[in-house]
Amino acid sequence: QVQLVESGGGLVQPGGSLELSCTASGNIFSLNAMGWYRQAPRKSRELVAVSFNGGGPKNYAESVEGRFTISRDNTGNTVYLLMTSLKPDDSAVYYCHLRPLYQGADDYWGQGIQVTVSS
């Protein structure tokens, strides 16, 4: 089992910045994809950004490209999402996600953290 613990959400004004972090613990497979999804009220959950460890690529949703940056710490078990130039449309519950990269692996989710962009 893998546990994901998120932190860093809150209220920020439009144009502001916020950084989310998520730390994984437990039985973590060495190769994995770790990232962030978000879900706004009355909308489907959508991928925001994902990072593949072991020197793999980083992918972003078109709506956040150039404004958000995903990174990991040296252990690879903590992922960060630096969000800049925030817009009201970025308001959502953000979920940390981890998928081990082997066939048949389970997905793991954090509990979700609220980000509200409002003046």
Side-chain angles (χ1 to χ4, degrees):
Q1 280 287 48
V2 174
Q3 296 77 41
L4 301 175
V5 178
E6 303 140 332
S7 62
L11 173 65
V12 62
Q13 292 187 341
S17 299
L18 205 60
E19 186 173 55
L20 306 180
S21 65
C22 172
T23 298
S25 61
N27 188 19
I28 303 168
F29 189 66
S30 57
L31 291 179
N32 59 69
M34 201 167 174
W36 296 91
Y37 286 69
R38 68 185 181 187
Q39 187 167 17
R42 298 174 297 282
K43 292 188 177 180
S44 301
R45 190 174 295 189
E46 62 174 357
L47 176 66
V48 177
V50 61
S51 168
F52 294 83
N53 68 349
K58 299 175 183 178
N59 297 327
Y60 297 91
E62 185 176 339
S63 59
V64 306
E65 185 84 51
R67 299 188 298 122
F68 290 13
T69 303
I70 190 168
S71 62
R72 296 207 195 193
D73 72 350
N74 290 338
T75 69
N77 293 337
T78 296
V79 65
Y80 304 95
L81 185 68
L82 177 61
M83 305 181 291
T84 65
S85 301
L86 282 161
K87 307 174 183 179
D89 282 351
D90 294 317
S91 298
V93 177
Y94 283 68
Y95 295 91
C96 182
H97 173 257
L98 186 148
R99 174 175 292 171
L101 297 178
Y102 62 85
Q103 191 172 8
D106 291 328
D107 288 329
Y108 297 96
W109 294 92
Q111 76 280 8
I113 192 164
Q114 179 70 47
V115 171
T116 302
V117 184
S118 174
S119 55

